[in-house]
Amino acid sequence: MQRQKVSRDSYRSYVWFRQAAERGDAYAQFNLGLMYRNGDPIEQDDAAAFHWLHKASLQGLAFAQNHLGALYYQGRGVARDEREAAVWFKRAAAQGDSSAQQNLGQLYRRGRGVEQNDVAAMSWYYRAAEQGVASAQTLLGECFLMGRGVGASFPIAMAWFRKAAVLGDARAQLHLGQMYQYGQGVAASQTQALCWFRQAAAQGNAVAQRELGMAYSAGAGVRPEPLRAVSWLQRAARQGDAPAQYHLGQLLLSGKGGEQDSRVALAWLRRAAEQNHIKAQIRLGTLYADGCHVEQDEALALDWFRRAAGQGAPIAQYHLGLMHAGGRGVGRDEAAAAGWYRLAAEQGDADAQNNLGVLYAEGRGLGRDDAMAVYWYRQAAERKHPLGQYNLGCMIESGRGITRDSVLAYMWLLLAAEGGDDQASARKSSLARTLSGEQIGKALDLARQWQQAKRHAGV
């Protein structure tokens, strides 16, 4: 009975607004437009909503102008027209409508319907933020955080985020948590970070939920609780957060989040990978290549590596080089292997640099070139790659592609041996028998100087 009364009252309101709107009352036209747009208490009708909101807008009603701009932007009840949307947002914003000011700022930020202009976007965000609109305060904080349209300032960004966070804006709460997490404009505090992450996560913010899951998994600011980590990661993963899906898959695969469940873990990894999450694609590639937790399938491994490599991932490019060199999942093709190794090597992947050096040294897949072999071995060696250091030492000892220098060769073999390369240990001992005590001492000094330089450079 109460429901029927509410329905009757709502319909009476509709009739009243309809009559007033037809008499030209702008506020009645606005309210009638909203009724048609929302489908309450009458059947939704976007065209009718546009008709009445347009009439109210022509009479200068800012609220109606903002909603009309939204209809143009969304293409509801009228053909989508971003330029016309900007026109109406501007009219409403000029009258002080805070929602229109934020909407206009978004158009400038994205270059939709207006020329892209970060300064103009920031200016409109500021006007809406000053009126207490939490979402605009967050957007303004992001401008100061990232230096978009204004000089970057962590303290000012934090001030705006805090205002919005207190008003309950989840994205602002997330930003505050991340600023405390990384010590941006404030002393790093994992406790404060988790406090803000919890507030944002409780509102359903997927990134905050993921951050909480990661914290409980790693024991960052809290004691490790794998089951709670899984719980938070699941919430974020179900919302489609690819990093959460990846980490959840990894956690379940390891068995640390309860009983190991490879099937469910692989399903989450696959969902992340389908969203082009590079680490998930590489993980699936290695699992299928090795037959770990899943039946070995080199063709599938190749496919996942290709997807990640296509996004520029050097590790995936390196793995593709290995698979082409070994004829795994594809015909053996050392020229193709060299191409993939080169892509990864040029991005600094030491394994790829060493393997490319091997191909040059042995003339496999490309013409033999000792100088290029030395070049790539050196690139790997400088990145503390033991096998690259060993290969470089051997080239220098034999004078291939570089002037022969037993002292320098010994230095690289020494570094390779200290890095765990067994071949280097044996070859170093053999070379040592041909050197004087003074030469060995010089090689040791060179090795220490190299190590000190790397430590100083933070390598």
Side-chain angles (χ1 to χ4, degrees), residues 50-76:
F50 174 81
H51 171 78
W52 289 111
L53 287 172
H54 187 258
K55 281 185 172 294
S57 296
L58 290 175
Q59 295 196 63
L61 195 62
F63 303 124
Q65 292 169 342
N66 178 57
H67 283 284
L68 184 64
L71 292 182
Y72 271 114
Y73 186 78
Q74 297 162 2
R76 291 182 58 181

mmCIF file of all heavy atoms in Angstrom, residues 50-76:
data_model
loop_
_atom_site.group_PDB
_atom_site.id
_atom_site.type_symbol
_atom_site.label_atom_id
_atom_site.label_comp_id
_atom_site.label_asym_id
_atom_site.label_seq_id
_atom_site.Cartn_x
_atom_site.Cartn_y
_atom_site.Cartn_z
ATOM 1 N N PHE A 50 16.432 14.892 -23.460
ATOM 2 C CA PHE A 50 17.172 15.912 -24.203
ATOM 3 C C PHE A 50 16.278 17.097 -24.539
ATOM 4 O O PHE A 50 16.675 18.259 -24.382
ATOM 5 C CB PHE A 50 17.747 15.316 -25.495
ATOM 6 C CG PHE A 50 18.389 16.349 -26.387
ATOM 7 C CD1 PHE A 50 19.667 16.788 -26.140
ATOM 8 C CD2 PHE A 50 17.677 16.896 -27.453
ATOM 9 C CE1 PHE A 50 20.260 17.762 -26.945
ATOM 10 C CE2 PHE A 50 18.249 17.870 -28.262
ATOM 11 C CZ PHE A 50 19.543 18.297 -28.006
ATOM 12 N N HIS A 51 15.053 16.819 -24.984
ATOM 13 C CA HIS A 51 14.114 17.885 -25.378
ATOM 14 C C HIS A 51 13.885 18.878 -24.234
ATOM 15 O O HIS A 51 14.012 20.098 -24.430
ATOM 16 C CB HIS A 51 12.787 17.253 -25.800
ATOM 17 C CG HIS A 51 11.688 18.251 -26.025
ATOM 18 N ND1 HIS A 51 11.600 19.016 -27.180
ATOM 19 C CD2 HIS A 51 10.641 18.626 -25.231
ATOM 20 C CE1 HIS A 51 10.546 19.812 -27.083
ATOM 21 N NE2 HIS A 51 9.936 19.603 -25.919
ATOM 22 N N TRP A 52 13.594 18.364 -23.043
ATOM 23 C CA TRP A 52 13.257 19.255 -21.936
ATOM 24 C C TRP A 52 14.498 19.913 -21.324
ATOM 25 O O TRP A 52 14.445 21.089 -20.942
ATOM 26 C CB TRP A 52 12.460 18.492 -20.880
ATOM 27 C CG TRP A 52 11.076 18.179 -21.364
ATOM 28 C CD1 TRP A 52 10.578 16.952 -21.681
ATOM 29 C CD2 TRP A 52 10.036 19.127 -21.625
ATOM 30 N NE1 TRP A 52 9.285 17.059 -22.127
ATOM 31 C CE2 TRP A 52 8.917 18.388 -22.099
ATOM 32 C CE3 TRP A 52 9.934 20.511 -21.516
ATOM 33 C CZ2 TRP A 52 7.722 18.998 -22.447
ATOM 34 C CZ3 TRP A 52 8.732 21.114 -21.861
ATOM 35 C CH2 TRP A 52 7.645 20.377 -22.323
ATOM 36 N N LEU A 53 15.594 19.188 -21.270
ATOM 37 C CA LEU A 53 16.827 19.789 -20.745
ATOM 38 C C LEU A 53 17.320 20.894 -21.682
ATOM 39 O O LEU A 53 17.860 21.909 -21.238
ATOM 40 C CB LEU A 53 17.900 18.720 -20.544
ATOM 41 C CG LEU A 53 17.671 17.776 -19.358
ATOM 42 C CD1 LEU A 53 18.690 16.638 -19.367
ATOM 43 C CD2 LEU A 53 17.749 18.530 -18.023
ATOM 44 N N HIS A 54 17.128 20.692 -22.971
ATOM 45 C CA HIS A 54 17.527 21.709 -23.941
ATOM 46 C C HIS A 54 16.694 22.979 -23.756
ATOM 47 O O HIS A 54 17.214 24.101 -23.799
ATOM 48 C CB HIS A 54 17.374 21.160 -25.365
ATOM 49 C CG HIS A 54 17.924 22.065 -26.418
ATOM 50 N ND1 HIS A 54 17.108 22.865 -27.196
ATOM 51 C CD2 HIS A 54 19.205 22.324 -26.806
ATOM 52 C CE1 HIS A 54 17.873 23.561 -28.033
ATOM 53 N NE2 HIS A 54 19.141 23.265 -27.812
ATOM 54 N N LYS A 55 15.393 22.800 -23.530
ATOM 55 C CA LYS A 55 14.524 23.958 -23.312
ATOM 56 C C LYS A 55 14.950 24.728 -22.060
ATOM 57 O O LYS A 55 15.015 25.967 -22.060
ATOM 58 C CB LYS A 55 13.062 23.505 -23.197
ATOM 59 C CG LYS A 55 12.392 23.205 -24.532
ATOM 60 C CD LYS A 55 10.921 22.877 -24.337
ATOM 61 C CE LYS A 55 10.198 22.769 -25.670
ATOM 62 N NZ LYS A 55 10.131 24.060 -26.394
ATOM 63 N N ALA A 56 15.249 23.987 -20.985
ATOM 64 C CA ALA A 56 15.665 24.640 -19.742
ATOM 65 C C ALA A 56 17.023 25.325 -19.923
ATOM 66 O O ALA A 56 17.263 26.420 -19.398
ATOM 67 C CB ALA A 56 15.733 23.622 -18.613
ATOM 68 N N SER A 57 17.888 24.698 -20.697
ATOM 69 C CA SER A 57 19.228 25.257 -20.929
ATOM 70 C C SER A 57 19.146 26.567 -21.697
ATOM 71 O O SER A 57 19.896 27.515 -21.422
ATOM 72 C CB SER A 57 20.092 24.254 -21.699
ATOM 73 O OG SER A 57 20.306 23.085 -20.939
ATOM 74 N N LEU A 58 18.247 26.624 -22.664
ATOM 75 C CA LEU A 58 18.095 27.842 -23.458
ATOM 76 C C LEU A 58 17.627 29.016 -22.598
ATOM 77 O O LEU A 58 17.826 30.178 -22.954
ATOM 78 C CB LEU A 58 17.123 27.614 -24.610
ATOM 79 C CG LEU A 58 17.619 26.690 -25.734
ATOM 80 C CD1 LEU A 58 16.505 26.447 -26.753
ATOM 81 C CD2 LEU A 58 18.851 27.278 -26.412
ATOM 82 N N GLN A 59 17.021 28.687 -21.460
ATOM 83 C CA GLN A 59 16.589 29.740 -20.538
ATOM 84 C C GLN A 59 17.686 30.097 -19.540
ATOM 85 O O GLN A 59 17.475 30.889 -18.630
ATOM 86 C CB GLN A 59 15.319 29.300 -19.792
ATOM 87 C CG GLN A 59 14.105 29.131 -20.691
ATOM 88 C CD GLN A 59 12.818 29.087 -19.896
ATOM 89 O OE1 GLN A 59 12.478 30.066 -19.231
ATOM 90 N NE2 GLN A 59 12.129 27.951 -19.963
ATOM 91 N N GLY A 60 18.869 29.486 -19.735
ATOM 92 C CA GLY A 60 20.024 29.859 -18.925
ATOM 93 C C GLY A 60 20.187 29.121 -17.618
ATOM 94 O O GLY A 60 21.000 29.525 -16.771
ATOM 95 N N LEU A 61 19.465 28.016 -17.409
ATOM 96 C CA LEU A 61 19.571 27.270 -16.161
ATOM 97 C C LEU A 61 20.853 26.432 -16.165
ATOM 98 O O LEU A 61 20.989 25.496 -16.962
ATOM 99 C CB LEU A 61 18.343 26.376 -15.980
ATOM 100 C CG LEU A 61 18.115 25.807 -14.573
ATOM 101 C CD1 LEU A 61 17.884 26.927 -13.573
ATOM 102 C CD2 LEU A 61 16.925 24.854 -14.584
ATOM 103 N N ALA A 62 21.784 26.761 -15.295
ATOM 104 C CA ALA A 62 23.106 26.133 -15.301
ATOM 105 C C ALA A 62 23.042 24.626 -15.079
ATOM 106 O O ALA A 62 23.746 23.854 -15.742
ATOM 107 C CB ALA A 62 23.997 26.780 -14.245
ATOM 108 N N PHE A 63 22.187 24.187 -14.126
ATOM 109 C CA PHE A 63 22.085 22.746 -13.864
ATOM 110 C C PHE A 63 21.706 22.006 -15.140
ATOM 111 O O PHE A 63 22.253 20.943 -15.458
ATOM 112 C CB PHE A 63 21.022 22.469 -12.791
ATOM 113 C CG PHE A 63 21.266 23.178 -11.491
ATOM 114 C CD1 PHE A 63 20.297 24.002 -10.950
ATOM 115 C CD2 PHE A 63 22.458 23.027 -10.811
ATOM 116 C CE1 PHE A 63 20.510 24.655 -9.747
ATOM 117 C CE2 PHE A 63 22.682 23.679 -9.612
ATOM 118 C CZ PHE A 63 21.714 24.505 -9.076
ATOM 119 N N ALA A 64 20.728 22.570 -15.858
ATOM 120 C CA ALA A 64 20.264 21.929 -17.090
ATOM 121 C C ALA A 64 21.356 21.935 -18.148
ATOM 122 O O ALA A 64 21.547 20.956 -18.884
ATOM 123 C CB ALA A 64 19.018 22.649 -17.610
ATOM 124 N N GLN A 65 22.100 23.021 -18.231
ATOM 125 C CA GLN A 65 23.175 23.118 -19.220
ATOM 126 C C GLN A 65 24.240 22.039 -18.982
ATOM 127 O O GLN A 65 24.746 21.431 -19.924
ATOM 128 C CB GLN A 65 23.788 24.512 -19.173
ATOM 129 C CG GLN A 65 22.840 25.611 -19.663
ATOM 130 C CD GLN A 65 23.343 27.006 -19.381
ATOM 131 O OE1 GLN A 65 24.233 27.209 -18.542
ATOM 132 N NE2 GLN A 65 22.780 27.998 -20.074
ATOM 133 N N ASN A 66 24.558 21.806 -17.728
ATOM 134 C CA ASN A 66 25.547 20.773 -17.417
ATOM 135 C C ASN A 66 25.036 19.397 -17.830
ATOM 136 O O ASN A 66 25.753 18.613 -18.462
ATOM 137 C CB ASN A 66 25.870 20.778 -15.924
ATOM 138 C CG ASN A 66 26.855 19.686 -15.551
ATOM 139 O OD1 ASN A 66 27.954 19.608 -16.084
ATOM 140 N ND2 ASN A 66 26.445 18.799 -14.644
ATOM 141 N N HIS A 67 23.776 19.104 -17.485
ATOM 142 C CA HIS A 67 23.207 17.799 -17.859
ATOM 143 C C HIS A 67 23.057 17.681 -19.370
ATOM 144 O O HIS A 67 23.242 16.588 -19.924
ATOM 145 C CB HIS A 67 21.857 17.611 -17.170
ATOM 146 C CG HIS A 67 21.972 17.239 -15.720
ATOM 147 N ND1 HIS A 67 22.321 15.975 -15.295
ATOM 148 C CD2 HIS A 67 21.807 17.977 -14.585
ATOM 149 C CE1 HIS A 67 22.350 15.933 -13.980
ATOM 150 N NE2 HIS A 67 22.049 17.142 -13.516
ATOM 151 N N LEU A 68 22.749 18.773 -20.037
ATOM 152 C CA LEU A 68 22.644 18.747 -21.493
ATOM 153 C C LEU A 68 24.003 18.444 -22.109
ATOM 154 O O LEU A 68 24.111 17.657 -23.062
ATOM 155 C CB LEU A 68 22.113 20.088 -21.998
ATOM 156 C CG LEU A 68 21.849 20.181 -23.509
ATOM 157 C CD1 LEU A 68 20.745 19.210 -23.920
ATOM 158 C CD2 LEU A 68 21.477 21.611 -23.901
ATOM 159 N N GLY A 69 25.045 19.059 -21.556
ATOM 160 C CA GLY A 69 26.395 18.773 -22.034
ATOM 161 C C GLY A 69 26.727 17.297 -21.893
ATOM 162 O O GLY A 69 27.338 16.693 -22.779
ATOM 163 N N ALA A 70 26.286 16.705 -20.782
ATOM 164 C CA ALA A 70 26.551 15.279 -20.557
ATOM 165 C C ALA A 70 25.830 14.422 -21.594
ATOM 166 O O ALA A 70 26.369 13.421 -22.079
ATOM 167 C CB ALA A 70 26.116 14.889 -19.152
ATOM 168 N N LEU A 71 24.588 14.813 -21.951
ATOM 169 C CA LEU A 71 23.859 14.053 -22.975
ATOM 170 C C LEU A 71 24.574 14.131 -24.327
ATOM 171 O O LEU A 71 24.672 13.127 -25.047
ATOM 172 C CB LEU A 71 22.426 14.581 -23.110
ATOM 173 C CG LEU A 71 21.483 14.343 -21.922
ATOM 174 C CD1 LEU A 71 20.093 14.888 -22.240
ATOM 175 C CD2 LEU A 71 21.394 12.854 -21.583
ATOM 176 N N TYR A 72 25.059 15.304 -24.678
ATOM 177 C CA TYR A 72 25.817 15.440 -25.923
ATOM 178 C C TYR A 72 27.093 14.588 -25.882
ATOM 179 O O TYR A 72 27.468 13.951 -26.866
ATOM 180 C CB TYR A 72 26.190 16.909 -26.166
ATOM 181 C CG TYR A 72 25.157 17.692 -26.951
ATOM 182 C CD1 TYR A 72 24.446 18.745 -26.357
ATOM 183 C CD2 TYR A 72 24.893 17.389 -28.281
ATOM 184 C CE1 TYR A 72 23.502 19.478 -27.078
ATOM 185 C CE2 TYR A 72 23.950 18.110 -29.006
ATOM 186 C CZ TYR A 72 23.263 19.150 -28.400
ATOM 187 O OH TYR A 72 22.334 19.857 -29.126
ATOM 188 N N TYR A 73 27.767 14.600 -24.744
ATOM 189 C CA TYR A 73 29.024 13.859 -24.625
ATOM 190 C C TYR A 73 28.792 12.349 -24.718
ATOM 191 O O TYR A 73 29.570 11.608 -25.322
ATOM 192 C CB TYR A 73 29.696 14.195 -23.299
ATOM 193 C CG TYR A 73 31.079 13.596 -23.148
ATOM 194 C CD1 TYR A 73 32.173 14.173 -23.786
ATOM 195 C CD2 TYR A 73 31.277 12.448 -22.390
ATOM 196 C CE1 TYR A 73 33.439 13.613 -23.664
ATOM 197 C CE2 TYR A 73 32.537 11.879 -22.271
ATOM 198 C CZ TYR A 73 33.612 12.469 -22.908
ATOM 199 O OH TYR A 73 34.857 11.909 -22.790
ATOM 200 N N GLN A 74 27.694 11.884 -24.096
ATOM 201 C CA GLN A 74 27.407 10.450 -24.069
ATOM 202 C C GLN A 74 26.613 9.977 -25.286
ATOM 203 O O GLN A 74 26.497 8.773 -25.509
ATOM 204 C CB GLN A 74 26.624 10.117 -22.800
ATOM 205 C CG GLN A 74 27.384 10.386 -21.517
ATOM 206 C CD GLN A 74 26.481 10.461 -20.296
ATOM 207 O OE1 GLN A 74 25.262 10.266 -20.386
ATOM 208 N NE2 GLN A 74 27.072 10.759 -19.148
ATOM 209 N N GLY A 75 26.075 10.941 -26.053
ATOM 210 C CA GLY A 75 25.261 10.560 -27.201
ATOM 211 C C GLY A 75 23.941 9.956 -26.779
ATOM 212 O O GLY A 75 23.429 9.028 -27.410
ATOM 213 N N ARG A 76 23.330 10.488 -25.723
ATOM 214 C CA ARG A 76 22.038 9.989 -25.234
ATOM 215 C C ARG A 76 20.927 10.949 -25.660
ATOM 216 O O ARG A 76 20.936 12.120 -25.293
ATOM 217 C CB ARG A 76 22.044 9.870 -23.705
ATOM 218 C CG ARG A 76 22.949 8.779 -23.168
ATOM 219 C CD ARG A 76 22.864 8.708 -21.646
ATOM 220 N NE ARG A 76 21.484 8.459 -21.172
ATOM 221 C CZ ARG A 76 21.157 8.379 -19.878
ATOM 222 N NH1 ARG A 76 22.097 8.560 -18.940
ATOM 223 N NH2 ARG A 76 19.908 8.154 -19.521
#
